[in-house]
Amino acid sequence: MPQISLTVNGKPASATVEARTLLVELLRDKLHLTGTHVGCDTSQCGACTVQVDGMSVKSCTMLAVQADGANVLTIEGLVNADGSLHPMQAMFREYHALQCGYCTPGMVMSAIDLVETHPEGLSEEQIRHGLEGNLCRCTGYHNIVKAIAAAWPLMHNKALPVAAE
Amino acid sequence: MYDFTYAKPASLADAAKALGADAEAKALAGGMTFIPVLKQRLNKPSTVVDLSALGLNYIKLEGGKLMIGAMTPHGSVAASADVKKAIPALAELAGNIGDRQVRYRGTIGGSLANNDPSACYPSAVLALGATIKTNERSIATDDYFQGMFTTALNPGEIITEVQFPIPEKAAYAKFANPASRYAMVGVFVAKTAGGVRVAVTGAGQNGVFRHAAFEAALAKSFTPDALNGIATPVGDMNADIHGSAAYRAHLVGVMAKRAVAAAK
Ligand SMILES: Cc1cc2nc3c(=O)[nH]c(=O)nc-3n(C[C@H](O)[C@H](O)[C@H](O)COP(=O)(O)OP(=O)(O)OC[C@H]3O[C@@H](n4cnc5c(N)ncnc54)[C@H](O)[C@@H]3O)c2cc1C
Ligand code: FES
Ligand code: FES
């Protein structure tokens, strides 16, 4: 069976996996990081979203062996050393961007990547388009969109530029 | 998922050997189609050959042609300054495939090898008259697509690159399925030195196809109005829970007009 080593939330991890083991199975079942959720069978819901080498990916649609040598960040890795929340987590709480919370870890991971890859600014339309890979059955998305817009200035240390009309 | 052996060859020759030696071996690109198929136990490969270490992730604009390596993900095509400059319609198409997570991993080679009847890239490749390069040969686009999920690829043959000639103008208009983002109907129009080409995806019973009647009308006048009154035969259309054949036939005309209006 393949032996893999990777970095998970800043710490080295290694595991013996089957070739067919999914990244999400490695994270949840072997590394006991159960914050990453599985919400579908069709690669559509995004509840399993984690970052692999800085890119948000659906960990249910990637083999663990494909992450050999990679740097993986999950929802558990966001909290600061002093226990304070990542700005995106804080804004999800502030804006009531969750109800049941099932989609939330994937939403937060996806949203962080969306904000990080748009240093020039982020319109409401871009946020909505950027969330196409994350389904939420509870909130109706409005508060999620607001939370992401509110996290942008905190993550970039400047005001969110207002889109020119 | 059934278990398999995983291989990640470091050269094209080794990848070809691994795929050629064993009829049950299968290539893995972005996995955005293949891994869901494996999860459903619809396929039982002996060996999964990961193509990610072959150096096939690149975009080059050279000699009036755009070359995209087979392992280039949709997100890179969408963001590429070269693609935006040479064929903006292609960058836009890639930027609307699936969702951001899918675009980080799904590749142009995987999309073309799979030839899903609702996939976006086949329409661009067919309308632009691109050439598909493999480890064995170059395949002209008109010979490549052979019906849904069927292509001219031999078993074990690996797509390495897609070469696009640069059109005068082009555009892609997609009516996306709201859940999957796949095309219910997608129309790619291209005005090239050799004439106008129109390719339709998502709609046809046999996968992507060229629309001869639209091409003839647009060759005379490249305007949306040139398509007025030209019907798309309903009998050739696909019907499923998302839309009837008549609905799709109508949409083909609407999307084609939008693409002509947007072409640049
Ligand atoms: C939620 C979701 C939404 C999507 N929405 C869209 C959409 O809107 N439009 C769209 O067009 N697509 C869509 N897709 C499909 C996506 O674009 C896939 O990336 C693509 O169809 C397959 O590419 P891949 O790189 O993931 O290939 P894989 O899944 O790895 O492989 C697919 C097939 O091609 C073969 N293969 C792969 N690479 C090669 C190669 N270089 N040479 C020979 N054979 C090869 C494999 O053996 C396999 O049989 C969506 C997918 C998902 C999960
Ligand atoms: S669990 Fe739904 S996309 Fe991964
Ligand atoms: S909060 Fe329940 S699914 Fe999003």
Side-chain angles (χ1 to χ4, degrees):
Chain A
M1 288 205 293
Q3 173 79 32
I4 61 169
S5 14
L6 59 168
T7 305
V8 180
N9 299 333
K11 295 190 209 84
S14 54
T16 303
V17 296
E18 290 182 305
R20 64 176 165 180
T21 302
L22 297 169
L23 177 58
V24 70
E25 294 168 341
L26 169 71
L27 294 171
R28 288 181 56 87
D29 302 345
K30 293 227 175 217
L31 304 177
H32 307 298
L33 295 169
T34 54
T36 301
H37 293 166
V38 175
C40 75
D41 255 347
T42 49
S43 305
Q44 284 175 336
C45 78
C48 62
T49 302
V50 301
Q51 285 191 16
V52 176
D53 293 331
M55 290 175 275
S56 51
V57 304
K58 294 176 178 176
S59 62
C60 74
T61 314
M62 181 169 174
L63 302 173
V65 283
Q66 290 179 285
D68 191 12
N71 193 348
V72 177
L73 181 66
T74 73
I75 190 81
E76 288 91 345
L78 293 183
V79 72
N80 297 310
D82 65 1
S84 61
L85 295 177
H86 183 284
M88 190 62 75
Q89 294 173 302
M91 291 303 104
F92 264 61
R93 184 169 68 181
E94 178 74 19
Y95 283 84
H96 197 69
L98 57 145
Q99 289 179 25
C100 81
Y102 201 86
C103 69
T104 311
M107 281 286 179
V108 168
M109 297 311 293
S110 193
I112 289 173
D113 175 32
L114 184 64
V115 169
E116 282 174 346
T117 50
H118 289 82
E120 75 289 353
L122 199 55
S123 66
E124 179 184 334
E125 194 190 332
Q126 283 175 308
I127 296 175
R128 290 185 184 274
H129 186 54
L131 290 181
E132 275 163 353
N134 294 80
L135 302 182
C136 175
R137 301 309 300 264
C138 301
T139 63
Y141 301 98
H142 290 309
N143 287 354
I144 295 175
V145 174
K146 284 184 199 158
I148 295 170
W152 193 98
L154 301 176
M155 289 174 63
H156 289 294
N157 279 319
K158 58 182 179 191
L160 180 56
V162 179
E165 289 300 322
Chain B
M1 200 190 299
Y2 299 109
D3 205 11
F4 46 79
T5 304
Y6 172 81
K8 189 173 169 181
S11 75
L12 189 58
D14 286 347
K17 209 155 96 192
L19 288 166
D22 177 354
E24 304 297 318
K26 287 277 275 175
L28 172 66
M32 292 296 109
T33 297
F34 192 38
I35 292 176
V37 162
L38 292 177
K39 289 206 293 197
Q40 291 175 62
R41 296 196 167 182
L42 295 174
N43 200 304
K44 194 179 175 186
S46 54
T47 303
V48 167
V49 181
D50 186 341
L51 306 181
S52 66
L54 307 181
L56 297 178
N57 180 355
Y58 59 83
I59 296 170
K60 284 188 285 198
L61 187 56
E62 268 168 31
K65 275 191 182 161
L66 182 69
M67 266 82 71
I68 303 184
M71 287 296 289
T72 309
H74 312 324
S76 303
V77 174
S80 158
D82 281 342
V83 180
K84 284 186 196 166
K85 186 172 118 200
I87 318 180
L90 192 64
E92 198 173 318
L93 173 148
N96 285 300
I97 293 179
D99 51 60
R100 294 173 70 250
Q101 294 98 314
V102 166
R103 292 193 291 273
Y104 274 126
R105 297 202 55 83
T107 68
I108 187 168
S111 180
L112 295 177
N114 197 45
N115 192 18
D116 187 299
S118 305
C120 300
Y121 267 127
S123 67
V125 166
L126 187 57
L128 292 167
T131 301
I132 291 158
K133 284 188 64 182
T134 75
N135 59 323
E136 298 175 11
R137 58 195 163 134
S138 287
I139 309 174
T141 181
D142 288 311
D143 303 327
Y144 179 79
F145 299 105
Q146 304 191 342
M148 51 170 83
F149 298 110
T150 312
T151 70
L153 291 177
N154 296 319
E157 189 170 0
I158 301 169
I159 300 176
T160 53
E161 185 180 279
V162 188
Q163 294 187 343
F164 294 93
I166 315 287
E168 284 167 30
K169 44 173 144 169
Y172 178 61
K174 165 163 90 163
F175 192 89
N177 176 312
S180 74
R181 324 306 303 178
Y182 272 102
M184 290 267 302
V185 169
V187 179
F188 200 105
V189 298
K191 189 164 188 281
T192 69
V196 176
R197 290 169 66 108
V198 179
V200 181
T201 188
Q205 281 190 0
N206 292 311
V208 68
F209 66 91
R210 280 177 67 184
H211 202 306
F214 283 5
E215 289 181 359
L218 292 171
K220 288 200 200 106
S221 159
F222 194 78
T223 57
D225 284 348
L227 300 178
N228 285 342
I230 306 177
T232 302
V234 175
D236 301 340
M237 294 291 107
N238 177 19
D240 58 22
I241 53 164
H242 306 301
S244 66
Y247 180 74
R248 279 195 165 82
H250 176 70
L251 263 186
V252 170
V254 175
M255 290 298 119
K257 283 186 179 182
R258 285 190 194 169
V260 173
K264 57 175 188 263

